[in-house]
Amino acid sequence: MLDNYDLPQLAIHIKLLLSGRVVGGDDDVANAIVDIIQSTHAAPGDVMVLYKQYHNAFSRGQSVPPAGLLRDERVFLPMMDQAFGHIWSSMPINTRTDMMDKYLWLIAYATLFDDNEQSDPSKRDALAQLVSQMKELREDIPIHPNQTHFNRIIRKVIEWIDVPVLARIVVFWIRDMLSYDEFSYYETYFHSSEVPIPLLLLEEISYRHPLLKPLVFSVYKESFESKVQGFLPEKQIRLQKVISNRLAALVQMNYALPVIQYISQQVDIVDETVTVYFIYKTVAQFEPPFTD
């Protein structure tokens, strides 16, 4: 019988009910949340409804709908896409400037507030600051930057990745930078065994924000499995070894099981020297007697 139900949709209906919301009636918040989830798109009409309900209640010190509804990935990511998707090539730039403040405010509120905090006035300044930081990132970050533009912005990027939600945006940006045009970044800039700066940034983000390790890991995997046009096998192996070193760093940061499982799946695919290199770099991180 369960096969007849869309279980993810059933789950969100239950979540809404537990939050005191009812779908299909006069509950504008519940209806907007379900619309976004079902369409996988944060349409301006639904966002306007959510903004009015959350922002008005917050501004007046009234009871605010649960922030957890906005943090649901099926709601949060479509809003992120509308605000920042042009940065990672998922959609054209959103020119609805009249709506952008609303997208950013909802993203910031979902990021900063727990359900039990409601309209905590002590966080008003933090909320305004985060919205301002997101605006700055959206305006200043270059799309598909060449190395010169990347070097010019790197100082700002290091500041942005202090903030979890901005770090997440930067990870998506780096993913697009590396994979754009069939990983042409590596063809242009990877000439030795030196670690590309974007990969080092990903490692730093993993260290600062442990919850972003799965996302960083997915970016590493894409580059590890890439077939860079124009690379001879020896150069492709060098790139895989560089990424293996980053994977070993994830192991050191207590993200061992997914990485080990992934490498075990690649054993019969990659060159044997890559696997040996990963094992060496991983084991070398541990205390004696393992390195003796």
Side-chain angles (χ1 to χ4, degrees), residues 44-63:
D46 292 322
V47 170
M48 179 66 77
V49 167
L50 294 175
Y51 178 78
K52 286 182 178 179
Q53 294 291 327
Y54 280 84
H55 183 267
N56 290 352
F58 179 80
S59 300
R60 298 167 183 167
Q62 299 172 346
S63 178

PDB file of all heavy atoms in Angstrom, residues 44-63:
ATOM      1  N   PRO A  44       8.485  33.294  -7.017  1.00  0.00           N
ATOM      2  CA  PRO A  44       8.334  34.566  -6.305  1.00  0.00           C
ATOM      3  C   PRO A  44       7.057  34.662  -5.469  1.00  0.00           C
ATOM      4  O   PRO A  44       7.070  35.212  -4.370  1.00  0.00           O
ATOM      5  CB  PRO A  44       8.332  35.603  -7.436  1.00  0.00           C
ATOM      6  CG  PRO A  44       9.145  34.961  -8.511  1.00  0.00           C
ATOM      7  CD  PRO A  44       8.819  33.489  -8.433  1.00  0.00           C
ATOM      8  N   GLY A  45       5.951  34.102  -5.983  1.00  0.00           N
ATOM      9  CA  GLY A  45       4.699  34.174  -5.230  1.00  0.00           C
ATOM     10  C   GLY A  45       4.789  33.450  -3.902  1.00  0.00           C
ATOM     11  O   GLY A  45       4.346  33.963  -2.863  1.00  0.00           O
ATOM     12  N   ASP A  46       5.359  32.253  -3.906  1.00  0.00           N
ATOM     13  CA  ASP A  46       5.504  31.485  -2.663  1.00  0.00           C
ATOM     14  C   ASP A  46       6.485  32.163  -1.709  1.00  0.00           C
ATOM     15  O   ASP A  46       6.269  32.196  -0.498  1.00  0.00           O
ATOM     16  CB  ASP A  46       5.982  30.060  -2.966  1.00  0.00           C
ATOM     17  CG  ASP A  46       4.926  29.239  -3.698  1.00  0.00           C
ATOM     18  OD1 ASP A  46       3.736  29.400  -3.372  1.00  0.00           O
ATOM     19  OD2 ASP A  46       5.296  28.456  -4.588  1.00  0.00           O
ATOM     20  N   VAL A  47       7.564  32.700  -2.257  1.00  0.00           N
ATOM     21  CA  VAL A  47       8.559  33.383  -1.418  1.00  0.00           C
ATOM     22  C   VAL A  47       7.957  34.642  -0.801  1.00  0.00           C
ATOM     23  O   VAL A  47       8.221  34.957   0.364  1.00  0.00           O
ATOM     24  CB  VAL A  47       9.820  33.697  -2.234  1.00  0.00           C
ATOM     25  CG1 VAL A  47      10.765  34.618  -1.467  1.00  0.00           C
ATOM     26  CG2 VAL A  47      10.541  32.404  -2.607  1.00  0.00           C
ATOM     27  N   MET A  48       7.153  35.352  -1.563  1.00  0.00           N
ATOM     28  CA  MET A  48       6.505  36.547  -1.022  1.00  0.00           C
ATOM     29  C   MET A  48       5.598  36.188   0.149  1.00  0.00           C
ATOM     30  O   MET A  48       5.588  36.881   1.178  1.00  0.00           O
ATOM     31  CB  MET A  48       5.687  37.242  -2.114  1.00  0.00           C
ATOM     32  CG  MET A  48       4.959  38.491  -1.643  1.00  0.00           C
ATOM     33  SD  MET A  48       6.084  39.819  -1.170  1.00  0.00           S
ATOM     34  CE  MET A  48       6.558  40.421  -2.793  1.00  0.00           C
ATOM     35  N   VAL A  49       4.864  35.098   0.022  1.00  0.00           N
ATOM     36  CA  VAL A  49       3.995  34.640   1.116  1.00  0.00           C
ATOM     37  C   VAL A  49       4.831  34.321   2.351  1.00  0.00           C
ATOM     38  O   VAL A  49       4.506  34.763   3.473  1.00  0.00           O
ATOM     39  CB  VAL A  49       3.195  33.395   0.674  1.00  0.00           C
ATOM     40  CG1 VAL A  49       2.531  32.725   1.887  1.00  0.00           C
ATOM     41  CG2 VAL A  49       2.131  33.783  -0.344  1.00  0.00           C
ATOM     42  N   LEU A  50       5.906  33.561   2.174  1.00  0.00           N
ATOM     43  CA  LEU A  50       6.750  33.183   3.313  1.00  0.00           C
ATOM     44  C   LEU A  50       7.399  34.408   3.948  1.00  0.00           C
ATOM     45  O   LEU A  50       7.470  34.525   5.178  1.00  0.00           O
ATOM     46  CB  LEU A  50       7.817  32.190   2.864  1.00  0.00           C
ATOM     47  CG  LEU A  50       7.314  30.817   2.408  1.00  0.00           C
ATOM     48  CD1 LEU A  50       8.462  29.980   1.865  1.00  0.00           C
ATOM     49  CD2 LEU A  50       6.633  30.083   3.567  1.00  0.00           C
ATOM     50  N   TYR A  51       7.861  35.324   3.108  1.00  0.00           N
ATOM     51  CA  TYR A  51       8.501  36.533   3.631  1.00  0.00           C
ATOM     52  C   TYR A  51       7.531  37.338   4.488  1.00  0.00           C
ATOM     53  O   TYR A  51       7.880  37.794   5.581  1.00  0.00           O
ATOM     54  CB  TYR A  51       9.018  37.380   2.473  1.00  0.00           C
ATOM     55  CG  TYR A  51       9.649  38.682   2.913  1.00  0.00           C
ATOM     56  CD1 TYR A  51      10.946  38.709   3.428  1.00  0.00           C
ATOM     57  CD2 TYR A  51       8.952  39.882   2.810  1.00  0.00           C
ATOM     58  CE1 TYR A  51      11.531  39.898   3.833  1.00  0.00           C
ATOM     59  CE2 TYR A  51       9.527  41.082   3.200  1.00  0.00           C
ATOM     60  CZ  TYR A  51      10.819  41.084   3.715  1.00  0.00           C
ATOM     61  OH  TYR A  51      11.387  42.274   4.122  1.00  0.00           O
ATOM     62  N   LYS A  52       6.322  37.510   3.998  1.00  0.00           N
ATOM     63  CA  LYS A  52       5.332  38.284   4.765  1.00  0.00           C
ATOM     64  C   LYS A  52       5.046  37.616   6.111  1.00  0.00           C
ATOM     65  O   LYS A  52       4.988  38.285   7.154  1.00  0.00           O
ATOM     66  CB  LYS A  52       4.038  38.423   3.957  1.00  0.00           C
ATOM     67  CG  LYS A  52       4.127  39.411   2.814  1.00  0.00           C
ATOM     68  CD  LYS A  52       2.795  39.523   2.088  1.00  0.00           C
ATOM     69  CE  LYS A  52       2.862  40.555   0.974  1.00  0.00           C
ATOM     70  NZ  LYS A  52       1.564  40.662   0.236  1.00  0.00           N
ATOM     71  N   GLN A  53       4.897  36.302   6.109  1.00  0.00           N
ATOM     72  CA  GLN A  53       4.545  35.593   7.343  1.00  0.00           C
ATOM     73  C   GLN A  53       5.699  35.611   8.343  1.00  0.00           C
ATOM     74  O   GLN A  53       5.491  35.839   9.534  1.00  0.00           O
ATOM     75  CB  GLN A  53       4.166  34.143   7.015  1.00  0.00           C
ATOM     76  CG  GLN A  53       2.902  33.994   6.198  1.00  0.00           C
ATOM     77  CD  GLN A  53       1.660  34.384   6.980  1.00  0.00           C
ATOM     78  OE1 GLN A  53       1.580  34.198   8.185  1.00  0.00           O
ATOM     79  NE2 GLN A  53       0.669  34.941   6.284  1.00  0.00           N
ATOM     80  N   TYR A  54       6.913  35.363   7.860  1.00  0.00           N
ATOM     81  CA  TYR A  54       8.072  35.309   8.762  1.00  0.00           C
ATOM     82  C   TYR A  54       8.544  36.709   9.151  1.00  0.00           C
ATOM     83  O   TYR A  54       8.757  37.003  10.332  1.00  0.00           O
ATOM     84  CB  TYR A  54       9.228  34.528   8.106  1.00  0.00           C
ATOM     85  CG  TYR A  54       9.084  33.035   8.187  1.00  0.00           C
ATOM     86  CD1 TYR A  54       8.332  32.328   7.253  1.00  0.00           C
ATOM     87  CD2 TYR A  54       9.708  32.298   9.197  1.00  0.00           C
ATOM     88  CE1 TYR A  54       8.199  30.948   7.317  1.00  0.00           C
ATOM     89  CE2 TYR A  54       9.587  30.924   9.269  1.00  0.00           C
ATOM     90  CZ  TYR A  54       8.834  30.251   8.331  1.00  0.00           C
ATOM     91  OH  TYR A  54       8.710  28.881   8.407  1.00  0.00           O
ATOM     92  N   HIS A  55       8.720  37.562   8.163  1.00  0.00           N
ATOM     93  CA  HIS A  55       9.291  38.889   8.427  1.00  0.00           C
ATOM     94  C   HIS A  55       8.346  39.755   9.250  1.00  0.00           C
ATOM     95  O   HIS A  55       8.777  40.442  10.194  1.00  0.00           O
ATOM     96  CB  HIS A  55       9.628  39.585   7.104  1.00  0.00           C
ATOM     97  CG  HIS A  55      10.279  40.920   7.277  1.00  0.00           C
ATOM     98  ND1 HIS A  55       9.561  42.097   7.299  1.00  0.00           N
ATOM     99  CD2 HIS A  55      11.585  41.263   7.457  1.00  0.00           C
ATOM    100  CE1 HIS A  55      10.391  43.116   7.466  1.00  0.00           C
ATOM    101  NE2 HIS A  55      11.615  42.636   7.567  1.00  0.00           N
ATOM    102  N   ASN A  56       7.069  39.747   8.913  1.00  0.00           N
ATOM    103  CA  ASN A  56       6.122  40.575   9.659  1.00  0.00           C
ATOM    104  C   ASN A  56       6.031  40.144  11.116  1.00  0.00           C
ATOM    105  O   ASN A  56       6.035  40.989  12.027  1.00  0.00           O
ATOM    106  CB  ASN A  56       4.739  40.523   9.009  1.00  0.00           C
ATOM    107  CG  ASN A  56       4.703  41.240   7.673  1.00  0.00           C
ATOM    108  OD1 ASN A  56       5.661  41.913   7.292  1.00  0.00           O
ATOM    109  ND2 ASN A  56       3.601  41.103   6.943  1.00  0.00           N
ATOM    110  N   ALA A  57       5.956  38.830  11.348  1.00  0.00           N
ATOM    111  CA  ALA A  57       5.888  38.350  12.731  1.00  0.00           C
ATOM    112  C   ALA A  57       7.183  38.665  13.475  1.00  0.00           C
ATOM    113  O   ALA A  57       7.155  39.081  14.643  1.00  0.00           O
ATOM    114  CB  ALA A  57       5.631  36.836  12.746  1.00  0.00           C
ATOM    115  N   PHE A  58       8.317  38.502  12.820  1.00  0.00           N
ATOM    116  CA  PHE A  58       9.608  38.790  13.455  1.00  0.00           C
ATOM    117  C   PHE A  58       9.716  40.278  13.797  1.00  0.00           C
ATOM    118  O   PHE A  58      10.148  40.650  14.901  1.00  0.00           O
ATOM    119  CB  PHE A  58      10.746  38.373  12.523  1.00  0.00           C
ATOM    120  CG  PHE A  58      12.114  38.649  13.069  1.00  0.00           C
ATOM    121  CD1 PHE A  58      12.702  37.801  13.997  1.00  0.00           C
ATOM    122  CD2 PHE A  58      12.826  39.768  12.655  1.00  0.00           C
ATOM    123  CE1 PHE A  58      13.965  38.053  14.506  1.00  0.00           C
ATOM    124  CE2 PHE A  58      14.091  40.029  13.155  1.00  0.00           C
ATOM    125  CZ  PHE A  58      14.661  39.177  14.072  1.00  0.00           C
ATOM    126  N   SER A  59       9.328  41.131  12.866  1.00  0.00           N
ATOM    127  CA  SER A  59       9.439  42.576  13.069  1.00  0.00           C
ATOM    128  C   SER A  59       8.559  43.058  14.209  1.00  0.00           C
ATOM    129  O   SER A  59       8.907  44.013  14.927  1.00  0.00           O
ATOM    130  CB  SER A  59       9.069  43.325  11.784  1.00  0.00           C
ATOM    131  OG  SER A  59       9.924  42.950  10.727  1.00  0.00           O
ATOM    132  N   ARG A  60       7.421  42.402  14.399  1.00  0.00           N
ATOM    133  CA  ARG A  60       6.477  42.824  15.438  1.00  0.00           C
ATOM    134  C   ARG A  60       6.684  42.104  16.759  1.00  0.00           C
ATOM    135  O   ARG A  60       5.928  42.331  17.713  1.00  0.00           O
ATOM    136  CB  ARG A  60       5.050  42.583  14.952  1.00  0.00           C
ATOM    137  CG  ARG A  60       4.685  43.390  13.709  1.00  0.00           C
ATOM    138  CD  ARG A  60       3.396  42.893  13.081  1.00  0.00           C
ATOM    139  NE  ARG A  60       3.078  43.625  11.856  1.00  0.00           N
ATOM    140  CZ  ARG A  60       2.160  43.251  10.974  1.00  0.00           C
ATOM    141  NH1 ARG A  60       1.462  42.134  11.197  1.00  0.00           N
ATOM    142  NH2 ARG A  60       1.952  43.964   9.889  1.00  0.00           N
ATOM    143  N   GLY A  61       7.673  41.212  16.807  1.00  0.00           N
ATOM    144  CA  GLY A  61       7.917  40.469  18.036  1.00  0.00           C
ATOM    145  C   GLY A  61       6.864  39.428  18.320  1.00  0.00           C
ATOM    146  O   GLY A  61       6.675  39.011  19.460  1.00  0.00           O
ATOM    147  N   GLN A  62       6.178  38.979  17.275  1.00  0.00           N
ATOM    148  CA  GLN A  62       5.125  37.978  17.428  1.00  0.00           C
ATOM    149  C   GLN A  62       5.684  36.578  17.209  1.00  0.00           C
ATOM    150  O   GLN A  62       6.855  36.398  16.889  1.00  0.00           O
ATOM    151  CB  GLN A  62       3.995  38.273  16.434  1.00  0.00           C
ATOM    152  CG  GLN A  62       3.335  39.620  16.639  1.00  0.00           C
ATOM    153  CD  GLN A  62       2.366  39.968  15.520  1.00  0.00           C
ATOM    154  OE1 GLN A  62       2.358  39.338  14.461  1.00  0.00           O
ATOM    155  NE2 GLN A  62       1.547  40.992  15.735  1.00  0.00           N
ATOM    156  N   SER A  63       4.838  35.580  17.377  1.00  0.00           N
ATOM    157  CA  SER A  63       5.256  34.199  17.166  1.00  0.00           C
ATOM    158  C   SER A  63       5.529  33.964  15.680  1.00  0.00           C
ATOM    159  O   SER A  63       4.663  34.188  14.839  1.00  0.00           O
ATOM    160  CB  SER A  63       4.158  33.247  17.655  1.00  0.00           C
ATOM    161  OG  SER A  63       4.529  31.908  17.423  1.00  0.00           O
TER     162      SER A  63
END
